[in-house]
Amino acid sequence: MAAMIVAVDGPVAAGKGTLARRLAAALGCAYLDTGSIYRAVAAKILVAGGDPENAETAAAAARDLEPIDLERDDLRLEKVSQAASKVAAIPAVRAALLDFQRRFAAAPPRGLNGAVLDGRDIGTVVCPGADVKFFLTASVEARAARRHKELLERGEQSIYARVLQDLRERDARDSGRATAPLRAAEDAVRLDTSAMDADQAFEVAMAEIARRGLARQPG
Ligand code: C5P
């Protein structure tokens, strides 16, 4: 049977990562957080003292990216988040990273049923033929509150108003760019998670997958 592909897209802190990780575990699929790829490109540029908005620098960093770079421990820093959305707006960067994502989706490790990818353009560009696509949304205030709580729980300093501003800036950049902007695929199932917890979002998504007869046992 062909590998199953599940796409989970949406803006910052809409709950994509949590949902995608849980779906992958429940479905016996591999999981790829595609945001970490853009973050890794950005982190490498910042560490080298480069400019993430310079198209040549960014495209070279994207072409040189290696799987080990996705394990860097600086990927979640706020300055890396902002720089990631800057490199992500450069078409040559997106083009260089497309193959890696498609190969992952098409050839999950042996024994797995498929792949779950989360990002901004999985359902529209990376895997337009995905078996099921989810597009998560939530109000910007709900997302900022979640991100703020997450940062505080990690022991990082956080000011709600700054988190809200950061989200608005990234939303504007991700939605406004010319190449692969953040938007829902026409055939995506939309989930507004503003008033849902992670368990509820997971149950709704699993019910949709079961309704389509896609759920399989691992192995
Ligand atoms: O999802 P995450 O916040 O980790 O992504 C970091 C940045 O990478 C996003 O703000 C977005 O600009 C970019 N990104 C993207 N396409 C994806 C995944 C992430 O443009 N598929």
Side-chain angles (χ1 to χ4, degrees):
M1 222 186 216
M4 145 171 50
I5 299 178
V6 180
V8 181
D9 289 304
V12 186
K16 303 183 300 291
T18 306
L19 176 63
R21 220 172 269 118
R22 288 183 70 173
L23 288 177
L27 298 168
C29 287
Y31 166 60
L32 181 63
D33 161 12
T34 65
S36 69
I37 305 176
Y38 293 90
R39 287 172 180 273
V41 172
K44 286 185 89 168
I45 297 169
L46 292 180
V47 164
D51 172 7
E53 284 179 289
N54 180 300
E56 276 169 32
T57 307
R63 281 192 297 269
D64 293 346
L65 198 73
E66 294 172 43
I68 187 82
D69 295 325
L70 305 187
E71 282 155 42
R72 298 174 64 104
D73 57 12
D74 56 357
L75 298 186
R76 314 304 308 174
L77 296 179
E78 281 309 298
K79 65 176 183 197
V80 174
S81 305
Q82 284 290 350
S85 84
K86 290 178 181 161
V87 302
I90 299 170
V93 169
R94 305 200 71 86
L97 300 176
L98 199 53
D99 259 14
F100 176 85
Q101 299 172 78
R102 286 191 174 148
R103 266 187 274 121
F104 184 95
R110 271 166 69 97
L112 294 181
N113 290 325
V116 181
L117 287 82
D118 80 43
R120 303 291 187 289
D121 62 340
I122 308 305
T124 51
V125 176
V126 179
C127 301
D131 297 279
V132 57
K133 303 173 183 178
F134 294 104
F135 191 83
L136 269 52
T137 57
S139 68
V140 71
E141 291 80 9
R143 293 186 286 121
R146 261 180 221 161
R147 177 50 53 93
H148 177 57
K149 185 165 168 267
E150 211 177 278
L151 290 169
L152 293 178
E153 281 170 1
R154 262 197 263 150
E156 288 179 36
Q157 291 195 333
S158 178
I159 299 166
Y160 173 78
R162 282 221 41 191
V163 176
L164 185 63
Q165 187 193 340
D166 171 73
L167 250 65
R168 287 201 164 115
E169 281 173 21
R170 278 214 281 156
D171 279 357
R173 217 180 282 123
D174 292 349
S175 305
R177 69 184 175 220
T179 310
L182 169 68
R183 68 177 173 79
E186 275 180 16
D187 52 349
V189 176
R190 289 167 183 264
L191 280 184
D192 185 333
T193 66
S194 306
M196 279 187 198
D197 64 19
D199 287 344
Q200 287 167 320
F202 175 69
E203 275 159 29
V204 173
M206 281 303 281
E208 179 63 30
I209 289 169
R211 195 181 69 75
R212 296 178 186 214
L214 288 168
R216 291 176 229 159
Q217 290 305 309

